[in-house]
Amino acid sequence: MKLWGGRFTKSTDKAVDDFNSSIRFDSRMYKQDILGSKAHAKMLGKCGIIPVEDSELIQKTLLEILEDIENGKVEFEVEAEDIHMNIEKILISRIGDAGKRLHTARSRNDQVALDIRMYLRDEAAGIKQMLIQLETTLIELAEKNYDTIMPGYTHLQRAQPITLAHHLSAYFQMFKRDLERLTDCTKRMDVLPLGSGALAGTTYNIDRKMVAEELGFSSITLNSLDGVSDRDFAIELASCLSIIMMHMSRFSEELILWSSLEFGFVEMDDAFSTGSSIMPQKKNPDVAELVRGKSGRVYGSLITLLTVMKSLPLAYNKDMQEDKEAIFDAVDTVKMCLPVFTRMIATMKFRKENMYKAAQGGFTNATDMADYLVKKGIPFRNAHEIIGKMVIYCIEKGKAIEELTMSEFANFSEVIKDDVYAEISLEKCVSGRNIPGGPAEESVKVSLDQGKKFLKEIE
Ligand code: ARG
């Protein structure tokens, strides 16, 4: 018999049971469901809505059920549809009428809205810790590489010299914003929907604030229709998770390129690479590739959620049961990617000589050469043109700018003196850019120090 079976004269078709049931994916919210019910029962007792003895018995039994679930002693039933009714059914089977009083002044609609908020709140906190770990690793790596010169790119063409510390610190900034976004998104999960009932609240004189406090929510929802039908918080979380994956995917893409023979900037640790079943020489960056690939999966969840919610009339509709697999998969995927990604970057080796060599090619100091002329009084546009011609000349001669002799320089401008060599060295190109946010050691240090402070405060 279904908990809602009174109005029915036939039992549910087996196919409908399977189709309708969400227990195979919502059972993971068992703890949130039990803690939510426990707080609800406590409140019902305190407000005199159910007898205090029943309230206490319900609370005690719910904790026993929790323990049994955790010890693998409970089997959920598809016929009981979802985690909410499975647990209520078990409760009733153990304590009879007292258990039947639990669902007073409550609906599964506000119950599920509560459970999913509690579940995602916990998951978001866990993901934040993983991001903090990644950020800590990035700072450690960056601090070892203030003077590791490498080319910075635009259009994947060598552009200007930077340092590895500066490059890593760029990712630090991205993941820092991800942390901030998660913190912000969590605020909107931190609102108790219980008390919204099915859609129109309840006539019982319940104490929603007490339940909120009991469950660690900062406030309560202010409209019962909205309380049961809002899934913005899940969409926001999926969006935060998508951006995290996008950032990891960009980083992965670079590491895949950098570990190719063509770049040779990094070598992945053997423990974080895989081989080929046919080509004996191969060492592939599968971890980075999988992270890149899985980003698509998380974006997919975001689109699923947006599409499920699109056009839904108020208030609850069963469509909303489809929110769970999408958001759970997004959460699981990010939780799987972050730690392995962090360990992969912590263990890789940077080929500093190759980075330096790459920065020496491609005329990465051409801007600095133009700036040299500007500092001697030549307008920038003219300087740009002169150096453009100088680059053509260098390509013909197979030389780098700093390999030109003073007499070759003289053909381009008479303002060039032999101080030019020091001014266009890769080291000077980097150290000269010591403005806030720049690649010079002191600038990167300032931004990393701020980063460390941020991490301390967020923990
Ligand atoms: N399993 C349902 C869900 O995940 C719970 C709420 C069901 N409510 C209802 N009125 N059918 O959305």
Side-chain angles (χ1 to χ4, degrees), residues 22 26 82 84 108-109 112 316 321 324:
S22 53
D26 66 16
D82 53 27
H84 326 294
R108 263 187 306 154
N109 297 350
V112 70
Y316 179 84
Q321 181 165 286
K324 280 165 218 67

Side-chain angles (χ1 to χ4, degrees), residues 211-261:
V211 180
E213 235 162 72
E214 222 26 67
L215 295 173
F217 283 91
S218 307
S219 61
I220 58 177
T221 53
L222 295 179
N223 180 293
S224 60
L225 294 169
D226 181 50
V228 288
S229 64
D230 163 33
R231 293 294 182 272
D232 298 3
F233 58 89
I235 295 173
E236 259 190 280
L237 179 63
S239 161
C240 295
L241 298 178
S242 295
I243 299 174
I244 293 172
M245 290 305 294
M246 181 269 289
H247 287 151
M248 265 198 286
S249 178
R250 292 184 76 173
F251 203 167
S252 294
E253 168 74 8
E254 294 196 321
L255 296 176
I256 293 161
L257 287 169
W258 290 6
S259 61
S260 69
L261 201 55

Side-chain angles (χ1 to χ4, degrees), residues 340 347 349 372 398 429:
V340 67
T347 53
K349 280 202 183 58
Y372 174 85
C429 293

Side-chain angles (χ1 to χ4, degrees), residues 125-307:
I127 290 170
K128 271 172 75 172
Q129 288 310 312
M130 291 175 174
L131 275 174
I132 289 171
Q133 206 42 57
L134 171 58
E135 289 287 66
T136 307
T137 302
L138 281 171
I139 288 186
E140 280 165 15
L141 290 175
E143 283 183 327
K144 286 186 202 139
N145 288 288
Y146 284 126
D147 55 4
T148 307
I149 292 179
M150 61 174 278
Y153 294 82
T154 63
H155 313 268
L156 200 57
Q157 307 282 325
R158 290 176 215 173
Q160 291 175 340
I162 56 166
T163 65
L164 180 57
H166 191 53
H167 199 100
L168 295 171
S169 156
Y171 281 103
F172 179 89
Q173 295 299 324
M174 298 178 226
F175 293 118
K176 172 173 178 269
R177 290 193 296 277
D178 290 334
L179 270 164
E180 289 168 336
R181 256 186 289 274
L182 274 179
T183 305
D184 193 59
C185 153
T186 311
K187 285 185 207 153
R188 280 171 294 279
M189 273 174 210
D190 187 20
V191 186
L192 178 96
L194 208 66
S196 299
L199 74 158
T202 177
T203 54
Y204 297 97
N205 196 13
I206 59 173
D207 185 348
R208 297 187 64 203
K209 290 235 166 80
M210 170 188 166
V211 180
E213 235 162 72
E214 222 26 67
L215 295 173
F217 283 91
S218 307
S219 61
I220 58 177
T221 53
L222 295 179
N223 180 293
S224 60
L225 294 169
D226 181 50
V228 288
S229 64
D230 163 33
R231 293 294 182 272
D232 298 3
F233 58 89
I235 295 173
E236 259 190 280
L237 179 63
S239 161
C240 295
L241 298 178
S242 295
I243 299 174
I244 293 172
M245 290 305 294
M246 181 269 289
H247 287 151
M248 265 198 286
S249 178
R250 292 184 76 173
F251 203 167
S252 294
E253 168 74 8
E254 294 196 321
L255 296 176
I256 293 161
L257 287 169
W258 290 6
S259 61
S260 69
L261 201 55
E262 284 69 10
F263 273 83
F265 287 3
V266 297
E267 190 181 339
M268 300 278 180
D269 194 85
D270 275 6
F272 287 83
S273 315
T274 48
S276 156
S277 61
I278 171 170
M279 297 168 282
Q281 85 284 13
K282 292 279 278 179
K283 184 168 160 186
N284 296 325
D286 285 27
V287 172
E289 289 173 300
L290 267 176
V291 168
R292 187 176 59 180
K294 284 177 189 292
S295 59
R297 188 177 172 136
V298 177
Y299 299 178
S301 296
L302 172 61
I303 297 296
T304 298
L305 289 167
L306 284 167
T307 313

